[in-house]
């Protein structure tokens, strides 16, 4: 019996994959893991995987404690879709959503109070960051803003009913903060507040030009305060451990990312997961942003268009790939364009399917 157990442990030690079937422990190599290293069905408890980074499709998430799911969505510059969800059941079992389809169809859950026993507060969270850090230059143009015009290469926004949804819903009110440091477009904190507010309202109020009335029962997004805390997203567009505050800020991400959103939810089998926290970061290290694209704009991203897309992720929408570039949730951001501020048919239908 002792010899068999020793042999079993030795075999596990030589295996970087978390094949825990029938095993009391497993061992993982050091460094970042892939979804193959920690496959569905493995245990974060047996593998001591909580706090480790798991990567997939050029993004990554930090494995949360049991009873938590985390998803990453990264808006790209090149048309590729980057994102996935890692869910840890209450017993520590891992599962993934790597597809474009929703897992749970029922939306009849309820909001529960968020209790985070061990918030991950870093030194950066507890220190004041300079407003000039990774900041864009302020807008100075007096030209008129460009019009909201559909791209001719794809179906019109009001005729394209394509959408995808996540296993995620905000059953209550999304309470959010603005972090310190530089902000996109060189905006002041007060101007950033209104730009982000409008982006979130575009989702919660189904803002569209297609004649659809607001039938989306999404509760309001409520700004709480400015904070020294930062979005729990690192320079590789990976979700770090959460700190309990839903923070919007700007900084350094992967060079092919325009913005990244990380969301943490409570798994609720059979119904959409209950949102706990969602952080959004604009990549001002590699990109320029404006709150007013004009005809002379050449290479800047519209803050409210990008913000509306990211707010869609927070409220449960997935990226859409293919010939759907007139929808807000299209996977690529368009420079010098305001069209993503206004929802298309598929964006509205997707929200209606959740709320």
């Amino acid at each position: 019996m002792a010899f068999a157990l020793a042999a079993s442990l030795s075999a596990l030690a030589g295996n970087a994959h978390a094949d825990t079937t029938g095993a009391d422990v497993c061992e993982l190599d050091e460094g970042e893991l892939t979804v193959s290293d920690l496959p569905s069905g493995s245990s974060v408890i047996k593998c001591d995987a909580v706090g480790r980074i798991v990567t997939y499709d050029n993004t990554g998430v930090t494995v949360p404690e049991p009873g938590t799911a985390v998803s990453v969505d990264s808006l790209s510059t090149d048309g590729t879709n980057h994102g996935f969800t890692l869910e840890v059941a209450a017993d520590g079992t891992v599962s993934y959503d790597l597809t474009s389809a929703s897992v749970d169809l029922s939306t009849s859950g309820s909001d529960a109070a968020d209790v985070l026993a061990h918030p991950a507060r870093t030194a950066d969270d507890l220190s004041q960051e300079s407003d000039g850090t990774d900041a864009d230059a302020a807008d100075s143009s007096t030209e008129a803003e460009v019009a909201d015009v559909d791209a001719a290469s794809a179906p019109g926004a009001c005729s394209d009913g394509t959408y995808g949804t996540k296993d995620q819903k905000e059953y209550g009110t999304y309470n959010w903060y603005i972090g310190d440091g530089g902000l996109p477009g060189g905006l002041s904190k007060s101007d950033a507040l209104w730009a982000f507010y409008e982006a979130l309202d575009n989702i919660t109020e189904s803002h569209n030009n297609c004649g659809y009335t607001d039938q989306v029962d999404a509760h309001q997004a409520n700004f709480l305060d400015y904070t020294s805390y930062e979005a729990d997203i690192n320079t590789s567009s990976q979700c770090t451990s959460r700190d309990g505050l839903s923070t919007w800020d700007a900084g350094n991400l992967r060079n092919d990312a325009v913005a990244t959103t990380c969301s943490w939810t409570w798994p609720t089998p059979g119904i959409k997961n209950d949102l706990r926290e969602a952080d959004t970061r604009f990549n001002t290290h590699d990109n320029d942003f404006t709150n007013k694209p004009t005809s002379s704009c050449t290479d800047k991203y519209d803050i409210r268009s990008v913000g509306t897309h990211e707010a869609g992720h927070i409220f449960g929408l997935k990226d859409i790939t293919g010939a759907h570039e007139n929808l807000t949730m299209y996977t690529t951001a368009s420079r010098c364009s305001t069209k993503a501020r206004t929802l298309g048919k598929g964006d509205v239908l997707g929200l209606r399917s959740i709320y």
Side-chain angles (χ1 to χ4, degrees):
M1 173 70 75
F3 176 80
L5 178 59
S8 175
L9 291 175
S10 176
L12 280 169
N15 187 359
H17 297 283
D19 183 3
T20 61
T21 305
D24 292 324
V25 296
C26 79
E27 293 186 13
L28 300 169
D29 285 345
E30 295 182 359
E32 293 184 354
L33 308 172
T34 68
V35 295
S36 298
D37 296 328
L38 189 72
S40 293
S42 45
S43 168
V44 302
I45 299 171
K46 294 178 181 179
C47 297
D48 192 22
V50 173
R52 300 289 300 274
I53 290 179
V54 175
T55 63
Y56 175 78
D57 192 26
N58 293 321
T59 56
V61 300
T62 299
V63 178
E65 296 181 350
T68 310
V70 56
S71 65
V72 57
D73 295 283
S74 194
L75 180 61
S76 71
T77 60
D78 60 5
T80 54
N81 184 30
H82 302 293
F84 72 107
T85 299
L86 185 158
E87 183 172 309
V88 182
D91 66 358
T93 303
V94 173
S95 62
Y96 295 99
D97 179 5
L98 309 176
T99 70
S100 60
S102 177
V103 177
D104 293 317
L105 297 180
S106 175
T107 61
S108 59
S110 60
D111 188 46
D114 187 13
V115 179
L116 183 58
H118 304 290
R121 292 168 180 158
T122 64
D124 288 339
D125 288 332
L126 303 178
S127 62
Q128 191 70 31
E129 187 176 10
S130 166
D131 289 348
T133 303
D134 279 328
D136 284 339
D139 288 330
S140 59
S141 175
T142 58
E143 295 181 56
E145 189 171 79
V146 296
D148 175 4
V149 179
D150 279 353
S153 57
C158 294
S159 61
D160 191 345
T162 306
Y163 68 85
T165 64
K166 302 164 63 177
D167 188 3
Q168 175 176 317
K169 179 178 179 179
E170 174 55 271
Y171 291 97
T173 298
Y174 176 63
N175 295 309
W176 59 284
Y177 298 76
I178 291 179
D180 64 358
L183 290 166
L187 295 182
S188 65
K189 284 184 168 57
S190 59
D191 287 340
L193 167 61
W194 293 112
F196 296 164
Y197 240 138
E198 181 178 318
L200 287 158
D201 284 350
N202 287 342
I203 294 297
T204 60
E205 297 178 1
S206 295
H207 176 62
N208 70 90
N209 291 331
C210 306
Y212 293 110
T213 58
D214 181 15
Q215 299 178 20
V216 175
D217 187 24
H219 294 269
Q220 68 175 352
N222 181 38
F223 173 71
L224 290 184
D225 205 349
Y226 302 102
T227 179
S228 65
Y229 281 32
E230 300 186 355
D232 299 319
I233 306 169
N234 66 20
T235 58
S236 298
S237 295
Q238 298 169 338
C239 305
T240 58
S241 297
R242 74 185 188 102
D243 56 24
L245 272 63
S246 294
T247 304
W248 286 52
D249 69 7
N252 189 7
L253 299 171
R254 282 178 56 90
N255 60 10
D256 62 352
V258 178
T260 297
T261 291
C262 290
S263 305
W264 292 263
T265 60
W266 282 356
T268 47
I271 59 176
K272 288 195 177 290
N273 291 354
D274 183 13
L275 183 67
R276 301 290 84 204
E277 177 184 338
D279 294 355
T280 293
R281 172 164 291 169
F282 291 72
N283 183 3
T284 51
H285 184 270
D286 301 295
N287 304 292
D288 292 323
F289 293 85
T290 176
N291 201 33
K292 183 187 175 184
T294 66
S295 59
S296 61
C297 174
T298 57
D299 61 355
K300 294 184 178 182
Y301 293 100
D302 176 46
I303 294 169
R304 282 173 282 172
S305 290
V306 173
T308 303
H309 178 98
E310 299 307 305
H313 288 312
I314 291 169
F315 284 89
L317 296 180
K318 276 192 171 183
D319 284 329
I320 299 299
T321 59
H324 305 288
E325 60 189 281
N326 290 316
L327 295 178
T328 295
M329 297 312 297
Y330 181 61
T331 191
T332 302
S334 298
R335 291 179 175 88
C336 305
S337 170
T338 62
K339 68 175 179 285
R341 297 180 189 176
T342 307
L343 306 191
K345 178 179 180 180
D347 305 310
V348 175
L349 294 181
L351 288 167
R352 287 183 178 182
S353 76
I354 303 171
Y355 298 94

